[in-house]
């Protein structure tokens, strides 16, 4: 019994040395992480990136001075599960945004000469806006997203979205008056 404990202690010590000098995950832990990611619905092509993310988080934890997890295998499985959920959230976000943009491309019917002139002037004005302002204008007025959803999608405060919208609309209005379109 004592020999078995001594052997386990030696194996744990060797594993600790391997982690300190190189890969923070051993082969069994990596297989477990891959399995958790795959069962979580992450596509085969994204599994290596997921494993690397788990490694990175373990290394970041060590670099920050925090104590290593008691059970690295369990900790890695939880991190992998969280990564799988994050992957699905990002996928849903991309799909929703794609659907909204696809709806914008749908033809709205024939337009008159005035509408065409106004559309060209607005498009020119949008091209001249800074990218951040153009992005919120497109999402708000063309994708018809509420400010709250834009803030969530772009991961910025609602106040920043409102400020960018205000500045962009004021700039576009001045541009349209300057060009005598409106």
């Amino acid at each position: 019994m004592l020999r078995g404990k001594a052997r386990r202690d030696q194996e744990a010590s060797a594993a600790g040395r391997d982690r300190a000098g190189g890969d923070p995950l051993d082969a069994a832990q990596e297989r477990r992480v891959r399995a958790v990611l795959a069962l979580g619905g992450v596509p085969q092509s994204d599994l290596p990136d997921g494993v690397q993310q788990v490694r990175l988080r373990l290394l970041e934890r060590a670099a920050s001075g925090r104590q290593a997890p008691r059970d690295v295998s369990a900790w890695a499985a939880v991190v992998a599960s969280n990564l799988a959920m994050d992957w699905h959230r990002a996928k849903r976000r991309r799909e929703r945004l794609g659907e909204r943009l696809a709806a914008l491309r749908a033809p709205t019917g024939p337009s008159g000469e005035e509408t065409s002139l106004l559309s060209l002037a607005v498009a020119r004005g949008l091209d001249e806006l800074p990218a951040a302002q153009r992005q919120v204008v497109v999402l708000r007025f063309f994708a018809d997203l509420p400010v709250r959803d834009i803030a969530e999608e772009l991961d910025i405060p609602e106040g920043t979205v409102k400020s960018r919208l205000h500045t962009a609309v004021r700039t576009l209005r001045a541009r349209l008056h300057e060009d005598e379109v409106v």
Side-chain angles (χ1 to χ4, degrees):
M1 177 137 177
L2 287 176
R3 279 186 249 153
K5 182 177 178 346
R7 186 172 41 241
R8 284 191 303 271
D9 288 346
Q10 281 180 330
E11 289 170 1
S13 175
R17 281 193 305 273
D18 288 345
R19 282 190 204 105
D23 193 353
L25 294 176
D26 65 26
Q29 291 165 340
E30 182 176 335
R31 283 192 305 274
R32 186 173 188 185
V33 165
R34 283 180 174 278
V36 169
L37 289 169
L39 290 172
V42 175
Q44 215 41 46
S45 61
D46 290 340
L47 291 181
D49 290 337
V51 172
Q52 287 299 87
Q53 282 294 319
V54 172
R55 280 190 178 101
L56 177 64
R57 292 195 184 166
L58 188 58
L59 291 171
E60 285 173 343
R61 181 183 177 109
S64 70
R66 293 192 320 235
Q67 184 176 358
R70 272 187 291 153
D71 184 355
V72 174
S73 185
W75 180 89
V78 169
V79 171
S81 176
N82 290 338
L83 286 171
M85 286 189 295
D86 290 346
W87 184 87
H88 283 289
R89 284 185 195 115
K91 180 182 173 195
R92 275 196 308 272
R93 218 177 286 126
R94 285 189 306 268
E95 287 171 353
R96 285 193 316 256
L97 189 57
E99 290 168 2
R100 290 178 184 133
L101 291 174
L104 291 176
R105 292 186 200 118
T108 58
S111 59
E113 187 176 316
E114 286 183 20
T115 306
S116 296
L117 181 62
L118 180 60
S119 296
L120 287 172
V122 169
R124 234 180 289 124
L126 281 172
D127 286 342
E128 294 174 2
L129 288 176
Q133 290 178 8
R134 182 174 46 248
Q135 185 178 34
V136 295
V137 166
V138 168
L139 291 173
R140 176 67 185 106
F141 298 111
F142 292 92
D144 199 29
L145 293 177
V147 170
R148 180 183 315 136
D149 290 353
I150 295 170
E152 287 176 13
E153 292 292 331
L154 299 178
D155 196 29
I156 58 175
E158 287 183 41
T160 303
V161 172
K162 291 176 185 178
S163 172
R164 288 178 184 173
L165 278 172
H166 176 76
T167 305
V169 168
R170 188 178 60 215
T171 303
L172 282 172
R173 185 178 294 129
R175 168 68 188 213
L176 294 176
H177 283 294
E178 184 180 295
D179 290 347
E180 298 179 359
V181 176
V182 287

